[in-house]
Amino acid sequence: MSKIRFYIENHLKDKGYKLQQFSEIADINVGTLSAIIRGTRLISMNQLDQITSAMGLEQGYFYEMYGVECFIESPPHWRRLEPYIHRCAELDKLDIIQQVIIHVTDDQSYTDELFDVAESLYNKGMNESALIIYECVADSEKYQHSERLALCQYRIFLLHKTLSKFDNFNASVKFEPYIDKLNEEVQLDAIKDLANVYCAIHLWDKVDVWSRELERKAEFQLKFQSRRRKNKKRLTAYPLFTYAAYANLLISCVYEARKEYEKALKYIEKYLKIIEIQNPTQEDQKLIDLFRIWGEGSQYAFGLLLGQENLISPYLDYIENNPLEILSGFITILQSANRYSFNIDYALNRFENQINLFNTNMQIKSGYNDQMLNSMYQEFYYELASYQIKKRNYSIGIDALLICLDLTSSSKDDLMCVKCLDLYGEYRSEANETQMKNYKNVIEKLSLPTF
């Protein structure tokens, strides 16, 4: 006998309900309810939820039993399986989804439908549930070379990103071989996302390679754009010209990392020319304005990094007018100050309130993913610590250094961690008791020996 039917019958006996009474409470036709209890009629998800509520149990109470009875011990029927997955996802019952999907994907006849459900969940932001299905679908197709398998791997790559550099590197390397199997337009977004991850973990040679590949593929798509049917649905997240522009922006970041600022400026100038398109749509214009803002900021930034101290004041005005650029802007200002011994106390004082909101929930994330934002915060606090320590403002500097060191525990950024440890070791005699205690706590979190 079905466990669910057994629970229902016991509930009726315990409460002393007649079938008619319970059917009214559950709002289910008495004949239908009778057939469900006798086992001559399959129970639907809506009916299961109604019965669960009528019994005073929490929603989803019977989902695990239902999954075993309907999809594991019996041949699954898609008409019941699809709403079951959606309801489990809504209630965040991930273990149950995993248990059922692993069994169902043994039969590849449901692969198409399961992929569509994963896409639906992904579009609704139910990422953890979607990831379970993508992984099972990908595993069932691992010996094939289909576009669907590549799209599964793309979604898995997007959903697997964490704050850990090691995890993101592994996810990126695993995803790379599937890019060419994606639709040619979808490849543009995939390469952009891949390059962004490599940028966040500072693998600049990888960023260089994939940025140039993005530029090549974007230019190819642009050449054939005019030949497409006007009513053909665009598959890219953004207009095509933006991918060519963004590729050059990424290449400028590569040269910035290599401290070749004059070359970086040339690629900024190149992408500013790319965005000069005729008859832009409203969407185009919004992106053009954004690229121009980035371009203006980059020109100030690279000028500063080349030692042009006179650019600090106009750069601060630019940042004030574009508050989403405060974090990246101050990283550059601090880097130039540390390199050329500029005094930027007035800049730090001017933006003191905004800087105090860094690394809090009030900090606007803009277009940065969590991993990239974490990396930028580390860079900011390390540069701030270096600046304040050089000015002998040891208390402020060591506080900033400890924030940076703590952030490395989330990202597992070994290089930045070593830099922080070296700087702290050099000035640990200047730390007060509270800072020494905080340092010890961070070190314990990092599982490192104390100095």
Side-chain angles (χ1 to χ4, degrees), residues 235-246:
L235 298 180
T236 54
Y238 305 100
L240 286 177
F241 76 94
T242 61
Y243 294 91
Y246 191 67

Side-chain angles (χ1 to χ4, degrees), residues 139-386:
D139 191 55
S140 71
E141 293 193 326
K142 61 186 175 183
Y143 299 114
Q144 300 180 36
H145 302 283
S146 66
E147 183 180 333
R148 183 173 61 204
L149 173 59
L151 193 52
C152 276
Q153 294 293 351
Y154 180 26
R155 298 285 190 252
I156 291 168
F157 164 71
L158 291 174
L159 296 174
H160 257 316
K161 286 188 288 187
T162 69
L163 290 180
S164 167
K165 290 178 70 173
F166 180 77
D167 290 345
N168 290 332
F169 173 72
N170 281 345
S172 300
V173 170
K174 184 178 178 181
F175 172 54
E176 279 190 22
Y178 294 96
I179 287 180
D180 285 341
K181 298 179 181 66
L182 291 167
N183 173 281
E184 289 182 347
E185 286 185 58
V186 176
Q187 285 181 32
L188 299 181
D189 282 305
I191 294 172
K192 169 186 67 68
D193 292 329
L194 184 66
N196 280 342
V197 171
Y198 283 134
C199 189
I201 60 180
H202 299 171
L203 289 180
W204 299 112
D205 288 346
K206 285 280 193 180
V207 178
D208 193 16
V209 168
W210 285 107
S211 298
R212 295 181 191 279
E213 182 70 356
L214 178 60
E215 181 181 32
R216 185 184 70 79
K217 287 182 179 288
E219 288 177 348
F220 177 82
Q221 290 296 322
L222 282 165
K223 287 179 183 177
F224 291 92
Q225 188 177 37
S226 59
R227 302 183 188 180
R228 298 177 187 172
R229 297 192 307 273
K230 290 185 178 180
N231 61 349
K232 184 182 177 183
K233 183 181 177 182
R234 189 182 82 198
L235 298 180
T236 54
Y238 305 100
L240 286 177
F241 76 94
T242 61
Y243 294 91
Y246 191 67
N248 282 278
L249 186 153
L250 287 173
I251 295 170
S252 75
C253 292
V254 172
Y255 283 114
E256 178 187 5
R258 294 171 179 170
K259 297 182 171 53
E260 298 180 55
Y261 305 120
E262 291 177 351
K263 286 184 179 179
L265 277 167
K266 288 180 181 178
Y267 281 92
I268 295 298
E269 292 165 2
K270 185 177 178 182
Y271 91 60
L272 288 173
K273 289 179 181 177
I274 291 172
I275 62 174
E276 296 295 333
I277 63 172
Q278 294 182 339
N279 304 316
T281 65
Q282 189 174 359
E283 181 189 19
D284 293 340
Q285 191 60 55
K286 187 176 180 180
L287 290 164
I288 288 168
D289 293 342
L290 186 60
F291 272 103
R292 283 176 178 160
I293 289 171
W294 289 342
E296 182 184 0
S298 295
Q299 287 172 328
Y300 283 131
F302 296 145
L304 264 179
L305 292 168
L306 286 167
Q308 299 173 32
E309 187 176 5
N310 62 303
L311 293 179
I312 294 178
S313 183
Y315 194 24
L316 292 174
D317 293 337
Y318 161 84
I319 290 171
E320 192 164 45
N321 291 327
N322 300 282
L324 293 180
E325 302 300 310
I326 291 176
L327 176 57
S328 61
F330 265 92
I331 291 172
T332 300
I333 291 169
L334 283 162
Q335 285 174 336
S336 63
N338 287 330
R339 185 170 294 125
Y340 300 106
S341 298
F342 297 155
N343 187 325
I344 58 163
D345 288 353
Y346 66 97
L348 293 170
N349 291 334
R350 178 173 167 180
F351 286 86
E352 182 179 6
N353 291 335
Q354 295 92 323
I355 290 171
N356 286 339
L357 294 178
F358 282 0
N359 202 29
T360 71
N361 291 332
M362 296 182 69
Q363 170 62 29
I364 300 173
K365 290 176 66 172
S366 181
Y368 303 118
N369 59 45
D370 290 340
Q371 210 270 336
M372 189 176 290
L373 196 62
N374 181 281
S375 177
M376 292 174 71
Y377 279 137
Q378 289 179 44
E379 195 70 32
F380 169 79
Y381 285 112
Y382 181 81
E383 294 291 340
L384 179 62
S386 298

Side-chain angles (χ1 to χ4, degrees), residues 409 437-450:
S409 67
K437 183 179 178 181
N438 290 341
Y439 173 77
K440 185 178 179 181
N441 290 337
V442 174
I443 291 299
E444 287 175 355
K445 189 188 296 188
L446 292 165
S447 300
L448 294 172
T450 55

